[in-house]
C-alpha cells in the first residue's frame, strides 16, 4: 500500500474535520478524548491544528464510531478504516515501526532544591526512540517517559552531567533505590518527588539513611532518615539525558 500523502493529510484540515466528527457523535472534547485515553488539552491541540493525532488515537476513536477516513481525507466512508490502513497511517505520520513514541511531560525536574509542578502531568509531545536501543539499556518502551530539567539555579546541582533545560529519559519501571556498598562507583540517578518538590539526584541507601548526591561540587550531599524518605514518590531511574548547546 502506498504511504499516506502528506499533501493530502494536512494538520489544519484534520483539526477541523476532527472537531466536526466529534460534534456529529455528540461528545464534548473531554469525552471524545477519553475514547482514546487522551486528555482534553491534547484534543484541543488536535482540533486547533497544533498537533497530529497519532495512529493509536485514530484506531481507538474508530472503534467508537468515528469516521477516520473523513477525518484524514474529507471523504466519508461507510465504515471505519481497517487496522492495516491505520497502521500504515501511523507509520507515515509517526515514523518507522522500529521506533516508538515516548511522551514528554509538562513537568520540570529540579536538580537543586526542588520544583513542585509534576502534578500537572500533561503530555505536551512525543519523541521517537528506537525500540532496540531502549531495550538494550534495559527500558521497556511503555515504561519510558521524558521530562525537562528546570532552568537557572534549580537545575545546576547535577552539572557537569546534566544541565539546566536538558531532557531526561526516565525508566518508571525502576523505582527501588540501591544500597550503598562503599565502592567508588557512582550511585544511579533518580527522579523523585518529596515535600521539597520534584528533583533529580544520585540516590543510594546506607543503613537507615538515604543519601542524595549532586555531581556539582558546590552542592553538599543530603542525608535523609529512612522514615522521612518513606513518603517520597520515586518516579524512576534516569537512563539518558540530552543536552543542547546554547552558546
Amino acid at each position: 500500500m502506498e504511504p499516506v500523502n502528506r499533501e493530502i493529510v494536512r494538520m489544519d484540515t484534520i483539526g477541523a474535520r476532527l472537531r466536526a466528527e466529534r460534534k456529529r457523535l455528540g461528545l464534548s472534547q473531554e469525552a471524545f478524548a477519553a475514547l482514546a485515553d487522551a486528555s482534553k488539552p491534547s484534543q484541543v491541540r488536535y482540533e486547533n491544528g497544533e498537533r497530529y493525532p497519532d495512529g493509536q488515537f485514530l484506531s481507538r476513536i474508530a472503534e467508537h464510531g468515528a469516521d477516520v477516513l473523513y477525518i484524514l481525507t474529507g471523504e466519508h466512508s461507510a465504515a471505519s478504516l481497517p487496522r492495516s490502513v491505520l497502521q500504515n497511517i501511523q507509520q507515515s505520520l509517526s515514523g518507522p515501526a522500529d521506533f516508538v513514541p515516548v511522551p514528554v511531560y509538562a513537568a520540570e525536574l529540579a536538580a537543586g532544591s526542588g520544583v513542585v509542578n509534576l502534578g500537572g502531568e500533561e503530555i505536551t509531545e512525543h519523541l521517537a526512540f528506537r525500540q532496540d536501543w531502549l531495550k538494550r539499556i534495559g527500558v521497556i518502551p511503555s515504561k519510558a517517559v521524558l521530562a525537562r530539567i528546570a532552568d537557572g539555579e534549580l537545575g545546576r546541582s547535577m552539572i557537569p552531567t546534566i544541565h539546566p533545560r536538558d531532557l531526561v529519559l526516565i525508566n518508571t519501571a525502576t523505582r527501588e533505590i540501591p544500597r550503598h556498598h562503599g565502592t567508588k562507583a557512582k550511585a544511579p540517578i533518580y527522579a523523585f518527588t518529596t515535600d521539597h518538590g520534584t528533583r533529580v539526584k544520585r540516590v543510594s541507601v546506607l543503613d537507615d539513611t538515604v543519601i542524595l548526591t549532586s555531581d556539582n561540587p558546590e552542592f553538599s550531599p543530603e542525608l535523609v532518615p529512612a522514615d522521612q524518605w518513606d513518603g517520597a514518590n520515586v518516579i524512576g531511574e534516569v537512563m539518558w539525558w540530552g543536552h543542547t548547546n546554547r552558546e
Side-chain angles (χ1 to χ4, degrees), residues 97-149:
D98 55 350
F99 283 79
V100 291
V102 176
V104 181
Y105 282 88
E108 288 191 337
L109 308 177
S113 60
V115 174
V116 186
N117 66 352
L118 193 63
E121 294 184 357
E122 177 191 345
I123 297 175
T124 59
E125 59 181 321
H126 290 78
L127 294 181
F129 285 78
R130 289 190 63 95
Q131 293 193 63
D132 57 355
W133 179 79
L134 289 173
K135 292 177 181 178
R136 191 160 60 245
I137 65 173
V139 178
I140 300 172
S142 62
K143 298 297 183 180
V145 300
L146 292 158
R148 197 170 292 281
I149 299 297

Short mmCIF file of all heavy atoms in Angstrom, two decimals, residues 97-149:
data_model
loop_
_atom_site.label_atom_id
_atom_site.label_comp_id
_atom_site.label_asym_id
_atom_site.label_seq_id
_atom_site.Cartn_x
_atom_site.Cartn_y
_atom_site.Cartn_z
N ALA A 97 8.28 1.56 12.03
CA ALA A 97 7.74 0.69 13.07
C ALA A 97 8.78 0.36 14.14
O ALA A 97 8.42 -0.01 15.25
CB ALA A 97 7.22 -0.60 12.44
N ASP A 98 10.10 0.47 13.82
CA ASP A 98 11.10 0.14 14.82
C ASP A 98 11.37 1.29 15.78
O ASP A 98 12.23 1.21 16.64
CB ASP A 98 12.40 -0.32 14.16
CG ASP A 98 12.96 0.70 13.18
OD1 ASP A 98 12.24 1.66 12.86
OD2 ASP A 98 14.10 0.52 12.73
N PHE A 99 10.63 2.39 15.63
CA PHE A 99 10.69 3.49 16.57
C PHE A 99 9.40 3.53 17.39
O PHE A 99 8.33 3.16 16.92
CB PHE A 99 10.85 4.83 15.84
CG PHE A 99 12.24 5.08 15.34
CD1 PHE A 99 12.70 4.48 14.18
CD2 PHE A 99 13.10 5.92 16.02
CE1 PHE A 99 13.98 4.71 13.71
CE2 PHE A 99 14.38 6.16 15.56
CZ PHE A 99 14.82 5.55 14.40
N VAL A 100 9.52 3.98 18.63
CA VAL A 100 8.34 4.14 19.48
C VAL A 100 8.28 5.57 20.00
O VAL A 100 9.31 6.18 20.27
CB VAL A 100 8.36 3.17 20.68
CG1 VAL A 100 8.19 1.74 20.21
CG2 VAL A 100 9.63 3.32 21.49
N PRO A 101 7.07 6.13 20.10
CA PRO A 101 6.94 7.48 20.65
C PRO A 101 7.00 7.46 22.17
O PRO A 101 6.29 6.70 22.82
CB PRO A 101 5.57 7.94 20.15
CG PRO A 101 4.79 6.66 20.00
CD PRO A 101 5.78 5.60 19.62
N VAL A 102 7.86 8.29 22.74
CA VAL A 102 7.97 8.40 24.20
C VAL A 102 7.38 9.75 24.61
O VAL A 102 7.76 10.78 24.08
CB VAL A 102 9.44 8.30 24.66
CG1 VAL A 102 9.56 8.50 26.17
CG2 VAL A 102 10.02 6.94 24.26
N PRO A 103 6.44 9.76 25.56
CA PRO A 103 5.77 11.01 25.94
C PRO A 103 6.68 11.98 26.68
O PRO A 103 7.48 11.58 27.52
CB PRO A 103 4.62 10.54 26.83
CG PRO A 103 5.09 9.25 27.39
CD PRO A 103 5.91 8.60 26.32
N VAL A 104 6.54 13.26 26.34
CA VAL A 104 7.24 14.33 27.05
C VAL A 104 6.22 15.02 27.95
O VAL A 104 5.21 15.54 27.46
CB VAL A 104 7.86 15.36 26.08
CG1 VAL A 104 8.60 16.46 26.86
CG2 VAL A 104 8.80 14.68 25.10
N TYR A 105 6.47 15.01 29.25
CA TYR A 105 5.51 15.58 30.19
C TYR A 105 5.82 17.05 30.47
O TYR A 105 6.97 17.47 30.48
CB TYR A 105 5.53 14.80 31.51
CG TYR A 105 4.76 13.51 31.42
CD1 TYR A 105 5.38 12.34 31.00
CD2 TYR A 105 3.42 13.46 31.75
CE1 TYR A 105 4.68 11.15 30.91
CE2 TYR A 105 2.70 12.28 31.66
CZ TYR A 105 3.33 11.13 31.25
OH TYR A 105 2.64 9.95 31.15
N ALA A 106 4.76 17.80 30.68
CA ALA A 106 4.88 19.23 31.00
C ALA A 106 5.22 19.36 32.47
O ALA A 106 4.44 19.85 33.28
CB ALA A 106 3.58 19.96 30.68
N ALA A 107 6.40 18.89 32.84
CA ALA A 107 6.85 18.95 34.22
C ALA A 107 8.33 19.27 34.22
O ALA A 107 9.08 18.78 33.38
CB ALA A 107 6.60 17.62 34.93
N GLU A 108 8.76 20.10 35.15
CA GLU A 108 10.17 20.42 35.28
C GLU A 108 10.73 19.69 36.49
O GLU A 108 10.12 19.63 37.54
CB GLU A 108 10.37 21.93 35.44
CG GLU A 108 10.12 22.70 34.14
CD GLU A 108 10.58 24.15 34.26
OE1 GLU A 108 10.67 24.65 35.40
OE2 GLU A 108 10.84 24.76 33.22
N LEU A 109 11.93 19.13 36.31
CA LEU A 109 12.60 18.41 37.38
C LEU A 109 13.76 19.26 37.86
O LEU A 109 14.62 19.65 37.08
CB LEU A 109 13.12 17.06 36.87
CG LEU A 109 12.09 16.17 36.16
CD1 LEU A 109 12.77 14.91 35.66
CD2 LEU A 109 10.94 15.84 37.09
N ALA A 110 13.80 19.54 39.15
CA ALA A 110 14.88 20.36 39.70
C ALA A 110 16.07 19.49 40.04
O ALA A 110 15.93 18.38 40.54
CB ALA A 110 14.41 21.10 40.94
N ALA A 111 17.27 19.99 39.73
CA ALA A 111 18.49 19.34 40.18
C ALA A 111 19.04 20.12 41.36
O ALA A 111 20.21 20.04 41.69
CB ALA A 111 19.51 19.28 39.04
N GLY A 112 18.16 20.89 42.01
CA GLY A 112 18.56 21.69 43.17
C GLY A 112 17.58 21.46 44.30
O GLY A 112 17.36 20.34 44.73
N SER A 113 16.93 22.52 44.74
CA SER A 113 16.08 22.43 45.93
C SER A 113 14.67 21.95 45.65
O SER A 113 13.92 21.69 46.56
CB SER A 113 16.00 23.81 46.60
OG SER A 113 15.46 24.76 45.71
N GLY A 114 14.30 21.82 44.38
CA GLY A 114 13.01 21.23 44.08
C GLY A 114 12.01 22.18 43.45
O GLY A 114 11.95 23.35 43.76
N VAL A 115 11.24 21.67 42.50
CA VAL A 115 10.15 22.40 41.87
C VAL A 115 8.90 21.56 42.01
O VAL A 115 8.88 20.40 41.63
CB VAL A 115 10.44 22.65 40.37
CG1 VAL A 115 9.24 23.29 39.70
CG2 VAL A 115 11.65 23.56 40.20
N VAL A 116 7.87 22.12 42.58
CA VAL A 116 6.64 21.35 42.81
C VAL A 116 5.68 21.60 41.65
O VAL A 116 4.83 22.47 41.71
CB VAL A 116 5.98 21.73 44.14
CG1 VAL A 116 4.80 20.81 44.43
CG2 VAL A 116 6.98 21.65 45.28
N ASN A 117 5.84 20.87 40.57
CA ASN A 117 4.91 21.06 39.46
C ASN A 117 4.70 19.79 38.65
O ASN A 117 4.21 19.85 37.54
CB ASN A 117 5.36 22.19 38.55
CG ASN A 117 6.67 21.87 37.84
OD1 ASN A 117 7.32 20.87 38.14
ND2 ASN A 117 7.07 22.72 36.92
N LEU A 118 5.08 18.64 39.19
CA LEU A 118 4.86 17.40 38.45
C LEU A 118 3.40 16.96 38.51
O LEU A 118 2.98 16.10 37.77
CB LEU A 118 5.76 16.28 39.01
CG LEU A 118 5.87 15.02 38.14
CD1 LEU A 118 6.50 15.36 36.81
CD2 LEU A 118 6.65 13.95 38.84
N GLY A 119 2.62 17.60 39.38
CA GLY A 119 1.22 17.22 39.50
C GLY A 119 0.45 17.42 38.21
O GLY A 119 -0.48 16.69 37.90
N GLY A 120 0.82 18.45 37.41
CA GLY A 120 0.16 18.66 36.13
C GLY A 120 0.81 17.83 35.07
O GLY A 120 1.55 18.34 34.23
N GLU A 121 0.57 16.53 35.11
CA GLU A 121 1.28 15.62 34.21
C GLU A 121 0.64 15.58 32.83
O GLU A 121 0.18 14.55 32.36
CB GLU A 121 1.35 14.23 34.82
CG GLU A 121 2.17 14.15 36.09
CD GLU A 121 2.29 12.75 36.62
OE1 GLU A 121 1.67 11.85 36.02
OE2 GLU A 121 2.98 12.55 37.62
N GLU A 122 0.63 16.70 32.16
CA GLU A 122 0.09 16.76 30.81
C GLU A 122 1.18 16.40 29.81
O GLU A 122 2.32 16.85 29.92
CB GLU A 122 -0.43 18.16 30.52
CG GLU A 122 -0.93 18.34 29.10
CD GLU A 122 -1.19 19.81 28.77
OE1 GLU A 122 -1.26 20.62 29.70
OE2 GLU A 122 -1.32 20.11 27.56
N ILE A 123 0.84 15.58 28.83
CA ILE A 123 1.79 15.23 27.77
C ILE A 123 1.77 16.34 26.73
O ILE A 123 0.72 16.65 26.17
CB ILE A 123 1.43 13.88 27.15
CG1 ILE A 123 1.54 12.77 28.19
CG2 ILE A 123 2.35 13.58 25.96
CD1 ILE A 123 1.08 11.42 27.70
N THR A 124 2.92 16.93 26.46
CA THR A 124 2.98 18.04 25.51
C THR A 124 3.37 17.59 24.10
O THR A 124 3.00 18.24 23.13
CB THR A 124 3.99 19.09 25.98
OG1 THR A 124 5.29 18.48 26.11
CG2 THR A 124 3.58 19.68 27.33
N GLU A 125 4.12 16.49 24.01
CA GLU A 125 4.54 15.98 22.70
C GLU A 125 5.12 14.59 22.89
O GLU A 125 5.17 14.07 24.01
CB GLU A 125 5.60 16.91 22.09
CG GLU A 125 6.86 17.08 22.94
CD GLU A 125 7.86 18.01 22.31
OE1 GLU A 125 8.01 17.96 21.08
OE2 GLU A 125 8.50 18.79 23.04
N HIS A 126 5.55 13.98 21.79
CA HIS A 126 6.22 12.69 21.84
C HIS A 126 7.52 12.78 21.04
O HIS A 126 7.58 13.47 20.01
CB HIS A 126 5.35 11.59 21.24
CG HIS A 126 4.16 11.23 22.07
ND1 HIS A 126 3.01 12.00 22.10
CD2 HIS A 126 3.94 10.18 22.91
CE1 HIS A 126 2.13 11.44 22.92
NE2 HIS A 126 2.65 10.34 23.41
N LEU A 127 8.54 12.09 21.50
CA LEU A 127 9.78 11.97 20.76
C LEU A 127 10.02 10.50 20.43
O LEU A 127 9.73 9.62 21.26
CB LEU A 127 10.96 12.52 21.57
CG LEU A 127 10.96 14.02 21.85
CD1 LEU A 127 12.20 14.41 22.64
CD2 LEU A 127 10.88 14.83 20.57
N ALA A 128 10.54 10.23 19.24
CA ALA A 128 10.72 8.85 18.78
C ALA A 128 12.09 8.31 19.21
O ALA A 128 13.11 8.96 19.01
CB ALA A 128 10.57 8.79 17.27
N PHE A 129 12.09 7.12 19.79
CA PHE A 129 13.31 6.41 20.16
C PHE A 129 13.26 5.01 19.55
O PHE A 129 12.20 4.41 19.43
CB PHE A 129 13.43 6.29 21.68
CG PHE A 129 13.82 7.56 22.38
CD1 PHE A 129 12.90 8.56 22.59
CD2 PHE A 129 15.13 7.75 22.81
CE1 PHE A 129 13.25 9.73 23.24
CE2 PHE A 129 15.50 8.92 23.45
CZ PHE A 129 14.57 9.91 23.67
N ARG A 130 14.42 4.49 19.21
CA ARG A 130 14.48 3.14 18.67
C ARG A 130 14.13 2.13 19.77
O ARG A 130 14.65 2.19 20.89
CB ARG A 130 15.87 2.83 18.13
CG ARG A 130 16.24 3.56 16.83
CD ARG A 130 17.54 3.00 16.27
NE ARG A 130 17.38 1.61 15.91
CZ ARG A 130 17.08 1.18 14.68
NH1 ARG A 130 16.87 2.05 13.71
NH2 ARG A 130 16.96 -0.10 14.43
N GLN A 131 13.26 1.18 19.43
CA GLN A 131 12.87 0.16 20.40
C GLN A 131 14.06 -0.68 20.84
O GLN A 131 14.21 -0.98 22.03
CB GLN A 131 11.81 -0.76 19.80
CG GLN A 131 10.47 -0.10 19.53
CD GLN A 131 9.39 -1.12 19.24
OE1 GLN A 131 9.06 -1.95 20.09
NE2 GLN A 131 8.85 -1.08 18.04
N ASP A 132 14.92 -1.06 19.88
CA ASP A 132 16.04 -1.93 20.24
C ASP A 132 17.03 -1.21 21.15
O ASP A 132 17.63 -1.82 22.04
CB ASP A 132 16.73 -2.48 18.99
CG ASP A 132 17.23 -1.39 18.05
OD1 ASP A 132 16.96 -0.19 18.30
OD2 ASP A 132 17.88 -1.72 17.05
N TRP A 133 17.20 0.11 20.98
CA TRP A 133 18.10 0.87 21.84
C TRP A 133 17.53 0.94 23.26
O TRP A 133 18.26 0.77 24.25
CB TRP A 133 18.33 2.27 21.29
CG TRP A 133 19.23 3.10 22.16
CD1 TRP A 133 20.59 3.06 22.22
CD2 TRP A 133 18.82 4.09 23.13
NE1 TRP A 133 21.06 3.95 23.16
CE2 TRP A 133 20.01 4.60 23.73
CE3 TRP A 133 17.58 4.58 23.54
CZ2 TRP A 133 19.96 5.58 24.72
CZ3 TRP A 133 17.55 5.56 24.52
CH2 TRP A 133 18.72 6.05 25.10
N LEU A 134 16.23 1.21 23.39
CA LEU A 134 15.61 1.25 24.70
C LEU A 134 15.77 -0.08 25.43
O LEU A 134 16.13 -0.12 26.62
CB LEU A 134 14.13 1.61 24.58
CG LEU A 134 13.80 3.05 24.18
CD1 LEU A 134 12.31 3.20 23.92
CD2 LEU A 134 14.25 4.04 25.25
N LYS A 135 15.53 -1.16 24.71
CA LYS A 135 15.66 -2.48 25.34
C LYS A 135 17.11 -2.78 25.70
O LYS A 135 17.38 -3.43 26.71
CB LYS A 135 15.10 -3.55 24.39
CG LYS A 135 13.59 -3.46 24.21
CD LYS A 135 13.08 -4.48 23.22
CE LYS A 135 11.56 -4.35 23.05
NZ LYS A 135 11.04 -5.31 22.04
N ARG A 136 18.05 -2.27 24.89
CA ARG A 136 19.47 -2.51 25.16
C ARG A 136 19.92 -1.84 26.47
O ARG A 136 20.80 -2.34 27.16
CB ARG A 136 20.31 -2.01 23.98
CG ARG A 136 21.76 -2.45 24.05
CD ARG A 136 22.44 -2.39 22.69
NE ARG A 136 22.45 -1.05 22.14
CZ ARG A 136 21.82 -0.69 21.04
NH1 ARG A 136 21.10 -1.59 20.38
NH2 ARG A 136 21.88 0.55 20.58
N ILE A 137 19.32 -0.69 26.80
CA ILE A 137 19.68 -0.02 28.05
C ILE A 137 18.75 -0.44 29.20
O ILE A 137 18.79 0.14 30.28
CB ILE A 137 19.68 1.51 27.89
CG1 ILE A 137 18.28 2.06 27.60
CG2 ILE A 137 20.67 1.94 26.83
CD1 ILE A 137 18.20 3.57 27.62
N GLY A 138 17.91 -1.44 28.93
CA GLY A 138 17.07 -2.00 29.98
C GLY A 138 15.76 -1.30 30.22
O GLY A 138 15.20 -1.39 31.33
N VAL A 139 15.23 -0.61 29.21
CA VAL A 139 13.99 0.13 29.36
C VAL A 139 12.90 -0.49 28.51
O VAL A 139 13.05 -0.63 27.29
CB VAL A 139 14.17 1.62 28.96
CG1 VAL A 139 12.85 2.38 29.09
CG2 VAL A 139 15.25 2.27 29.82
N ILE A 140 11.78 -0.85 29.14
CA ILE A 140 10.61 -1.29 28.39
C ILE A 140 9.97 -0.03 27.78
O ILE A 140 9.71 0.93 28.51
CB ILE A 140 9.60 -1.99 29.33
CG1 ILE A 140 10.25 -3.22 29.97
CG2 ILE A 140 8.33 -2.37 28.57
CD1 ILE A 140 9.41 -3.87 31.04
N PRO A 141 9.78 0.00 26.47
CA PRO A 141 9.28 1.23 25.83
C PRO A 141 8.06 1.85 26.50
O PRO A 141 7.96 3.06 26.65
CB PRO A 141 8.99 0.78 24.40
CG PRO A 141 9.97 -0.32 24.15
CD PRO A 141 10.08 -1.03 25.47
N SER A 142 7.11 1.00 26.94
CA SER A 142 5.89 1.53 27.54
C SER A 142 6.12 2.15 28.91
O SER A 142 5.25 2.85 29.44
CB SER A 142 4.84 0.43 27.66
OG SER A 142 5.29 -0.61 28.52
N LYS A 143 7.31 1.91 29.50
CA LYS A 143 7.63 2.45 30.82
C LYS A 143 8.54 3.68 30.75
O LYS A 143 8.98 4.19 31.78
CB LYS A 143 8.32 1.38 31.67
CG LYS A 143 7.45 0.15 31.95
CD LYS A 143 6.21 0.51 32.75
CE LYS A 143 5.40 -0.72 33.09
NZ LYS A 143 4.18 -0.39 33.88
N ALA A 144 8.81 4.16 29.54
CA ALA A 144 9.70 5.30 29.36
C ALA A 144 8.92 6.61 29.30
O ALA A 144 7.88 6.68 28.65
CB ALA A 144 10.53 5.13 28.08
N VAL A 145 9.40 7.62 30.01
CA VAL A 145 8.82 8.96 29.95
C VAL A 145 9.96 9.97 29.86
O VAL A 145 11.10 9.69 30.23
CB VAL A 145 7.92 9.28 31.16
CG1 VAL A 145 6.76 8.30 31.26
CG2 VAL A 145 8.73 9.28 32.45
N LEU A 146 9.64 11.16 29.38
CA LEU A 146 10.61 12.25 29.26
C LEU A 146 10.13 13.46 30.03
O LEU A 146 8.93 13.75 30.09
CB LEU A 146 10.81 12.63 27.79
CG LEU A 146 11.50 11.59 26.90
CD1 LEU A 146 11.16 11.85 25.43
CD2 LEU A 146 13.01 11.63 27.08
N ALA A 147 11.07 14.19 30.62
CA ALA A 147 10.77 15.46 31.29
C ALA A 147 12.00 16.33 31.18
O ALA A 147 13.10 15.85 30.87
CB ALA A 147 10.36 15.24 32.74
N ARG A 148 11.82 17.62 31.45
CA ARG A 148 12.93 18.56 31.29
C ARG A 148 13.42 19.07 32.64
O ARG A 148 12.64 19.26 33.57
CB ARG A 148 12.48 19.74 30.40
CG ARG A 148 13.65 20.55 29.85
CD ARG A 148 13.17 21.53 28.79
NE ARG A 148 12.69 20.87 27.58
CZ ARG A 148 13.49 20.39 26.63
NH1 ARG A 148 14.80 20.47 26.76
NH2 ARG A 148 12.97 19.83 25.55
N ILE A 149 14.73 19.27 32.73
CA ILE A 149 15.34 19.83 33.93
C ILE A 149 15.03 21.32 34.00
O ILE A 149 15.02 22.02 32.99
CB ILE A 149 16.87 19.60 33.92
CG1 ILE A 149 17.20 18.11 33.88
CG2 ILE A 149 17.53 20.26 35.12
CD1 ILE A 149 16.72 17.33 35.09
#
